[in-house]
Amino acid sequence: RYFMDWKNDVDSYFTIDATEGTIATNELLDRESTAQYNFSIIASKVSNPLLTSKVNVIINVLDVNEFPPEISVPYETSVCENAKPGQVIQTITAADKDLSPAGQRFSFKLSSEASNKPNFTVHDYRNNTAGIVTRRNGYSRRQQELYFLPVVIEDSSYPVQSSTNTLTIRVCRCDSDGTIQSCNVEAIFLPVGLSTGALIAILLCIVILLVIVVLYVALRRQKKKDTLMTSKEDIRDNVIHYDDEGGGEEDTQAFDIGALRNPKVIEDNKIRRDIKPDTLRFTRHRPPAEDNTDIRDFINQRLQENDVDPSAPPYDSLATYAYEGNGSVAESLSSIDSLTTEADQDYDYLSDWGPRFKILADMFGEESYNPDKVT
């Protein structure tokens, strides 16, 4: 019987028939990754398995031409505008991923669609190199700046493999000796007489003009928007607009709200009430209050005096008087109608108000006040 000596993972690529001793592959082999395999085969006697022998087996993987040749490195090819026919502008070489045997050669030629174009051709030097040769007299950057040349490369192994590689050829400005001077984008404008500085200046001017136009349009739109908003805010009826902001109820410098409550005051009194008048303060003679004088008449009298007095503070507010005690048994408790001395007051009516006012009646009545009698 035949057995494989399983010592490493390499043995998994092959298998052996136990009876015939035939070695076969278990997986696909790749010469580019592993070119040689080394393992052991053990043979034992059927009648006596203890009788064995071992032999080393070396398997070499033969190369198969499976990869096409390609251009070895990417080339940056250029041609002068004043080039003559037959000039070699680039020399190219090829490379193959296969382990090529000694003496393998590569051939170079133009593709069928490019062979009819009278721009460039390929000259095979028969030493695994080729030259790119011009076929016309002069090239114009204005007409065409880039040329694409497809080159077909074949190898000499079996089966023959080939690939098409495209070279990019750029038209450049050169001096009389063929030295390249410029191949960039600005080269198109240089024959007109424009230098790099001139091109930069022109671009800056264009950018500045665009910025000015954008700013002008933005300002026009903003101004138009502000005008529309102002016109909408100003369309109102019977509303007085102030730029200052009031301070609430304690603000005495804001708008006189009394003008809205009593418009007749403005018609009767045209004197400005927002500043203190220069005229002397009018002397007001207050007639003494008579007995049983109605407090409402007294308030109205004081109200008229304040309305006609330009020096009555506050100068920008409305003096508001309220009437209290309406419907009350005690009527008004205001001290406005009080007399100058307590002797002139008559408090006998306090005794008619009931037991709640008994203490006040005893204190201010005709009878003398005795604290011992107060309970």
Side-chain angles (χ1 to χ4, degrees), residues 59-80:
I59 297 179
N60 294 317
V61 183
L62 301 179
D63 187 26
V64 176
N65 191 26
E66 53 185 339
F67 296 101
E70 297 177 349
I71 291 180
S72 56
V73 294
Y75 294 96
E76 295 181 358
T77 308
S78 58
V79 61
C80 296

Short mmCIF file of all heavy atoms in Angstrom, two decimals, residues 59-80:
data_model
loop_
_atom_site.label_atom_id
_atom_site.label_comp_id
_atom_site.label_asym_id
_atom_site.label_seq_id
_atom_site.Cartn_x
_atom_site.Cartn_y
_atom_site.Cartn_z
N ILE A 59 7.99 17.68 -7.31
CA ILE A 59 7.12 17.97 -8.46
C ILE A 59 7.39 19.42 -8.88
O ILE A 59 7.21 20.34 -8.08
CB ILE A 59 5.64 17.76 -8.12
CG1 ILE A 59 5.39 16.29 -7.78
CG2 ILE A 59 4.76 18.21 -9.28
CD1 ILE A 59 3.96 15.99 -7.39
N ASN A 60 7.81 19.61 -10.12
CA ASN A 60 8.03 20.94 -10.71
C ASN A 60 6.80 21.32 -11.54
O ASN A 60 6.34 20.54 -12.38
CB ASN A 60 9.29 20.96 -11.58
CG ASN A 60 10.55 20.75 -10.76
OD1 ASN A 60 10.69 21.33 -9.68
ND2 ASN A 60 11.46 19.92 -11.25
N VAL A 61 6.28 22.53 -11.30
CA VAL A 61 5.11 23.03 -12.04
C VAL A 61 5.59 23.73 -13.29
O VAL A 61 6.41 24.66 -13.23
CB VAL A 61 4.28 23.99 -11.15
CG1 VAL A 61 3.04 24.44 -11.91
CG2 VAL A 61 3.89 23.30 -9.85
N LEU A 62 5.11 23.28 -14.43
CA LEU A 62 5.48 23.90 -15.71
C LEU A 62 4.69 25.19 -15.93
O LEU A 62 3.55 25.32 -15.48
CB LEU A 62 5.22 22.91 -16.85
CG LEU A 62 5.96 21.57 -16.76
CD1 LEU A 62 5.59 20.68 -17.94
CD2 LEU A 62 7.46 21.79 -16.71
N ASP A 63 5.33 26.14 -16.58
CA ASP A 63 4.71 27.44 -16.83
C ASP A 63 3.74 27.35 -17.99
O ASP A 63 4.00 26.68 -19.00
CB ASP A 63 5.79 28.49 -17.12
CG ASP A 63 5.19 29.88 -17.22
OD1 ASP A 63 4.13 30.11 -16.59
OD2 ASP A 63 5.76 30.74 -17.91
N VAL A 64 2.62 28.04 -17.84
CA VAL A 64 1.61 28.17 -18.90
C VAL A 64 1.46 29.66 -19.19
O VAL A 64 1.35 30.48 -18.27
CB VAL A 64 0.27 27.55 -18.47
CG1 VAL A 64 -0.79 27.79 -19.53
CG2 VAL A 64 0.45 26.07 -18.22
N ASN A 65 1.47 30.02 -20.45
CA ASN A 65 1.36 31.43 -20.85
C ASN A 65 -0.10 31.88 -20.67
O ASN A 65 -0.93 31.67 -21.55
CB ASN A 65 1.82 31.60 -22.30
CG ASN A 65 1.97 33.06 -22.67
OD1 ASN A 65 2.20 33.91 -21.81
ND2 ASN A 65 1.82 33.35 -23.94
N GLU A 66 -0.38 32.51 -19.52
CA GLU A 66 -1.76 32.92 -19.22
C GLU A 66 -1.92 34.42 -19.07
O GLU A 66 -3.05 34.92 -19.05
CB GLU A 66 -2.21 32.25 -17.92
CG GLU A 66 -1.26 32.49 -16.76
CD GLU A 66 -1.66 31.73 -15.52
OE1 GLU A 66 -2.85 31.36 -15.42
OE2 GLU A 66 -0.79 31.50 -14.66
N PHE A 67 -0.82 35.18 -18.97
CA PHE A 67 -0.90 36.63 -18.82
C PHE A 67 -0.37 37.31 -20.08
O PHE A 67 0.71 36.95 -20.57
CB PHE A 67 -0.10 37.11 -17.60
CG PHE A 67 -0.64 36.60 -16.30
CD1 PHE A 67 -0.02 35.53 -15.67
CD2 PHE A 67 -1.76 37.16 -15.72
CE1 PHE A 67 -0.51 35.03 -14.47
CE2 PHE A 67 -2.25 36.68 -14.52
CZ PHE A 67 -1.63 35.62 -13.90
N PRO A 68 -1.10 38.33 -20.59
CA PRO A 68 -0.59 39.05 -21.77
C PRO A 68 0.46 40.06 -21.35
O PRO A 68 0.45 40.56 -20.23
CB PRO A 68 -1.84 39.74 -22.32
CG PRO A 68 -2.70 39.95 -21.13
CD PRO A 68 -2.45 38.79 -20.21
N PRO A 69 1.38 40.41 -22.24
CA PRO A 69 2.38 41.43 -21.92
C PRO A 69 1.73 42.83 -21.92
O PRO A 69 0.76 43.09 -22.63
CB PRO A 69 3.41 41.28 -23.04
CG PRO A 69 2.64 40.72 -24.18
CD PRO A 69 1.58 39.84 -23.59
N GLU A 70 2.33 43.72 -21.12
CA GLU A 70 1.84 45.09 -21.01
C GLU A 70 3.02 46.04 -21.01
O GLU A 70 4.17 45.64 -20.83
CB GLU A 70 1.03 45.27 -19.71
CG GLU A 70 -0.21 44.40 -19.64
CD GLU A 70 -0.93 44.55 -18.31
OE1 GLU A 70 -0.34 45.17 -17.40
OE2 GLU A 70 -2.06 44.04 -18.18
N ILE A 71 2.72 47.34 -21.19
CA ILE A 71 3.76 48.35 -21.11
C ILE A 71 4.32 48.36 -19.69
O ILE A 71 3.57 48.32 -18.71
CB ILE A 71 3.20 49.73 -21.51
CG1 ILE A 71 2.88 49.74 -23.00
CG2 ILE A 71 4.18 50.84 -21.19
CD1 ILE A 71 2.32 51.05 -23.50
N SER A 72 5.63 48.36 -19.59
CA SER A 72 6.29 48.17 -18.29
C SER A 72 5.98 49.31 -17.33
O SER A 72 5.70 49.06 -16.15
CB SER A 72 7.80 48.04 -18.50
OG SER A 72 8.30 49.18 -19.19
N VAL A 73 6.03 50.57 -17.77
CA VAL A 73 5.79 51.72 -16.90
C VAL A 73 4.87 52.69 -17.64
O VAL A 73 4.85 52.72 -18.87
CB VAL A 73 7.11 52.42 -16.51
CG1 VAL A 73 7.96 51.53 -15.64
CG2 VAL A 73 7.87 52.86 -17.74
N PRO A 74 4.10 53.52 -16.89
CA PRO A 74 3.30 54.55 -17.57
C PRO A 74 4.19 55.68 -18.09
O PRO A 74 5.05 56.20 -17.37
CB PRO A 74 2.37 55.05 -16.45
CG PRO A 74 3.07 54.71 -15.17
CD PRO A 74 3.85 53.47 -15.43
N TYR A 75 4.01 56.03 -19.33
CA TYR A 75 4.84 57.03 -19.98
C TYR A 75 4.08 58.35 -20.11
O TYR A 75 2.86 58.35 -20.35
CB TYR A 75 5.28 56.55 -21.38
CG TYR A 75 6.19 55.35 -21.36
CD1 TYR A 75 5.68 54.06 -21.53
CD2 TYR A 75 7.56 55.49 -21.17
CE1 TYR A 75 6.51 52.96 -21.52
CE2 TYR A 75 8.41 54.38 -21.16
CZ TYR A 75 7.87 53.12 -21.33
OH TYR A 75 8.71 52.03 -21.32
N GLU A 76 4.83 59.44 -19.95
CA GLU A 76 4.30 60.78 -20.21
C GLU A 76 4.93 61.27 -21.51
O GLU A 76 6.02 61.85 -21.53
CB GLU A 76 4.62 61.74 -19.06
CG GLU A 76 3.94 61.34 -17.75
CD GLU A 76 4.26 62.33 -16.64
OE1 GLU A 76 5.03 63.27 -16.89
OE2 GLU A 76 3.75 62.13 -15.53
N THR A 77 4.22 61.01 -22.59
CA THR A 77 4.76 61.29 -23.92
C THR A 77 4.32 62.66 -24.38
O THR A 77 3.16 63.05 -24.19
CB THR A 77 4.30 60.22 -24.91
OG1 THR A 77 4.60 58.93 -24.39
CG2 THR A 77 4.98 60.39 -26.25
N SER A 78 5.23 63.40 -25.01
CA SER A 78 4.93 64.73 -25.53
C SER A 78 5.57 64.90 -26.90
O SER A 78 6.57 64.24 -27.22
CB SER A 78 5.44 65.81 -24.57
OG SER A 78 6.83 65.68 -24.37
N VAL A 79 4.99 65.79 -27.69
CA VAL A 79 5.49 66.08 -29.03
C VAL A 79 5.51 67.59 -29.22
O VAL A 79 4.64 68.31 -28.70
CB VAL A 79 4.62 65.40 -30.11
CG1 VAL A 79 3.20 65.90 -30.07
CG2 VAL A 79 5.23 65.59 -31.50
N CYS A 80 6.52 68.08 -29.90
CA CYS A 80 6.64 69.52 -30.12
C CYS A 80 5.74 69.96 -31.27
O CYS A 80 5.44 69.19 -32.19
CB CYS A 80 8.10 69.88 -30.44
SG CYS A 80 9.25 69.55 -29.09
#
